[in-house]
């Protein structure tokens, strides 16, 4: 999760392109029965936050340079506009690269706005974007590496292999404090496009993904826990070509043209009970259901469209005992993982 928006898509893929390490202020990893409350399965979840502390300066600028033509620039600011609290940043990263044919750049930007809507109610709107254009030197043989480790694979140079991608995301979040519990709802949208020219062909797709989530969580008292539901939809318009021209453009015949759709839904909950001052018991359960569909647009060799549905129950149990100077814990859990939409192009 990044600023509340899931970076893991309904099919299980995750792209961290929009995450800028220069403004990532905290990283939290949850591996416990409570992870069923957040993750696609119950394996765990990673939180990435770019929210600045209250003591952060209102404006921050940074420029860095390095060898092989590398430079980085960042401009970040916080402030208020009426009832809104604002945070925004923009950054750039460019390099010539140690190896031949490894030049590239990346641009990132993000904005976050929040305000109170009444006693105990808060609204937050967030958006982030990323664009990159990078050459790909590929891998080389051990013999070529010993001769010159900076050289690129010539076949990739001949077709100007690389990667051009754009990614944007936006989300709206509403939370309401109920005293010992918190009610929250969110909705998000993500767009990503890719052009990936390679020596053996060109891969392109346009991706649209979105979803929503509603949760009720109690974090006080001897009994804590939460319940919730979420849903997501992903649509990939994928076209692959069997060759690439010398200037890095798609060429040759189209060997794959299909619309890939993934729909997911889940219900989840967990409960923590402090049986004694030292012993705590935790249990959780998540139910997932995903449907994959591929709509084949190249039907000269037969229509290869199809669909498949996956579903699973993911339970988890845990116990902790506080010894004062140490803590003992035990946990049992299962996790649910499906193939990704990218597998649909691997016939």
């Amino acid at each position: 999760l990044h600023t509340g928006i899931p970076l893991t898509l309904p099919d299980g893929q995750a792209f961290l392109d929009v995450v800028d390490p220069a403004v990532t202020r905290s990283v939290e990893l949850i591996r416990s029965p409570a992870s069923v409350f957040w993750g696609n399965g119950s394996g765990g979840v990673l939180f990435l936050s770019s929210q600045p502390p209250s003591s952060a300066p209102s404006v921050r600028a940074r420029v860095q340079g390095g060898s092989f033509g590398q430079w980085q620039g960042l401009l970040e600011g916080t402030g208020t506009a009426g009832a809104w609290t604002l945070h925004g940043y923009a950054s750039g990263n460019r390099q010539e690269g140690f190896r031949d044919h490894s030049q590239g750049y990346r641009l990132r930007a993000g904005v976050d706005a929040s305000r109170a809507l009444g006693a105990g109610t808060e609204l937050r709107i967030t958006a982030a974007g990323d664009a990159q254009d990078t050459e790909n030197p590929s891998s080389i043989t051990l013999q070529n590496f010993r001769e010159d480790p900076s050289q690129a694979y010539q076949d990739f140079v001949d077709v100007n292999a690389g990667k051009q991608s754009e990614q944007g995301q936006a989300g709206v979040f509403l939370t309401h404090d109920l005293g010992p519990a918190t009610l929250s709802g969110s909705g998000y949208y993500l767009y990503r496009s890719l052009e990936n020219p390679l020596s053996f062909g060109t891969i392109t797709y346009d991706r649209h993904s979105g979803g929503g989530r509603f949760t009720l969580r109690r974090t006080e008292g001897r009994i804590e826990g939460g319940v919730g539901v979420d849903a997501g939809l992903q649509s990939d318009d994928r076209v692959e070509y069997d060759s690439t021209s010398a200037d890095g453009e798609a060429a040759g015949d189209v060997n794959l043209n299909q619309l890939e759709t993934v729909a997911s839904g889940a219900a989840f909950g967990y409960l923590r009970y402090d049986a004694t001052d030292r012993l705590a018991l935790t249990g959780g359960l998540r139910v997932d259901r995903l449907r994959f569909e591929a709509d084949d647009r190249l039907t000269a060799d037969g229509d290869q469209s199809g669909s498949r549905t996956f579903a699973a129950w993911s339970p988890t149990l845990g116990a902790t005992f506080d010894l004062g100077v140490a803590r003992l814990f035990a946990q049992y859990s299962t996790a649910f993982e499906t193939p990704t939409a990218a597998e649909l192009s691997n016939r």
Side-chain angles (χ1 to χ4, degrees):
L1 293 168
H2 177 240
T3 62
I5 297 178
L7 293 178
T8 300
L9 301 175
D11 72 336
Q13 295 184 82
F15 294 91
L16 275 67
D17 294 17
V18 297
V19 178
D20 193 332
V23 296
T24 300
R25 294 206 163 65
S26 65
V27 178
E28 298 179 61
L29 174 64
I30 296 180
R31 290 291 301 273
S32 75
S35 66
V36 301
F37 192 75
W38 304 102
N40 283 35
S42 59
V45 63
L46 189 67
F47 286 93
L48 305 172
S49 175
S50 60
Q51 290 297 307
S54 58
S55 59
S58 57
V59 178
R60 180 169 72 114
R62 187 177 76 177
V63 177
Q64 294 179 308
S67 55
F68 308 109
Q70 184 182 40
W71 70 264
Q72 298 177 353
L74 169 69
L75 180 63
E76 182 182 21
T78 60
T80 59
W84 293 91
T85 299
L86 307 175
H87 168 238
Y89 66 90
S91 67
N93 186 347
R94 184 176 182 85
Q95 68 174 22
E96 297 297 328
F98 166 74
R99 297 181 61 192
D100 298 336
H101 197 69
S102 60
Q103 178 178 302
Y105 72 84
R106 181 186 296 276
L107 303 174
R108 294 187 178 102
V111 64
D112 187 282
S114 61
R115 63 166 296 172
L117 295 182
T121 303
E122 182 181 21
L123 171 67
R124 186 162 64 91
I125 302 173
T126 182
D130 165 272
Q132 71 161 329
D133 188 343
T134 305
E135 295 174 337
N136 185 352
S138 189
S139 57
I140 55 177
T141 65
L142 179 58
Q143 179 180 350
N144 287 339
F145 174 81
R146 288 171 174 168
E147 293 172 354
D148 180 7
S150 68
Q151 66 178 296
Y153 180 48
Q154 190 58 46
D155 286 358
F156 271 44
V157 177
D158 292 341
V159 298
N160 194 28
K163 177 183 288 187
Q164 299 85 43
S165 69
E166 296 179 354
Q167 183 170 326
Q169 61 186 42
V172 178
F173 310 89
L174 190 66
T175 60
H176 182 65
D177 188 357
L178 298 174
T182 301
L183 179 66
S184 63
S186 64
Y188 67 91
Y189 169 76
L190 182 147
Y191 169 77
R192 178 178 172 84
S193 67
L194 172 72
E195 292 187 13
N196 192 193
L198 302 166
S199 63
F200 48 84
T202 299
I203 300 171
T204 69
Y205 67 71
D206 288 302
R207 169 174 295 147
H208 299 268
S209 179
R213 174 184 173 91
F214 294 93
T215 63
L216 177 63
R217 192 180 186 197
R218 176 187 171 92
T219 57
E220 298 180 12
R222 296 182 68 90
I223 298 178
E224 302 179 14
V227 293
V229 294
D230 63 34
L233 182 64
Q234 174 184 335
S235 176
D236 292 3
D237 189 349
R238 185 183 300 270
V239 181
E240 299 182 4
Y241 302 81
D242 63 9
S243 62
T244 305
S245 65
D247 58 358
E249 298 296 328
D253 295 331
V254 175
N255 57 24
L256 187 144
N257 185 348
Q258 62 189 24
L259 181 65
E260 304 160 359
T261 305
V262 183
S264 69
F268 46 86
Y270 80 98
L271 189 69
R272 173 188 169 95
Y273 173 57
D274 293 330
T276 69
D277 292 340
R278 292 189 174 188
L279 176 64
L281 305 175
T282 311
L285 179 65
R286 184 178 178 98
V287 183
D288 289 277
R289 183 180 176 87
L290 291 89
R291 180 175 177 82
F292 288 73
E293 295 185 9
D295 182 10
D296 184 14
R297 295 165 176 164
L298 296 178
T299 57
D301 58 347
D303 189 349
Q304 300 182 57
S305 300
S307 64
R308 184 168 179 179
T309 299
F310 299 88
W313 297 69
S314 300
T316 178
L317 297 171
T320 62
F321 188 80
D322 191 351
L323 298 176
V325 296
R327 179 174 295 177
L328 302 178
F329 73 91
Q331 178 184 343
Y332 167 81
S333 64
T334 66
F336 177 52
E337 182 178 357
T338 68
T340 66
E343 306 296 337
L344 298 177
S345 66
N346 297 331
R347 300 311 173 93

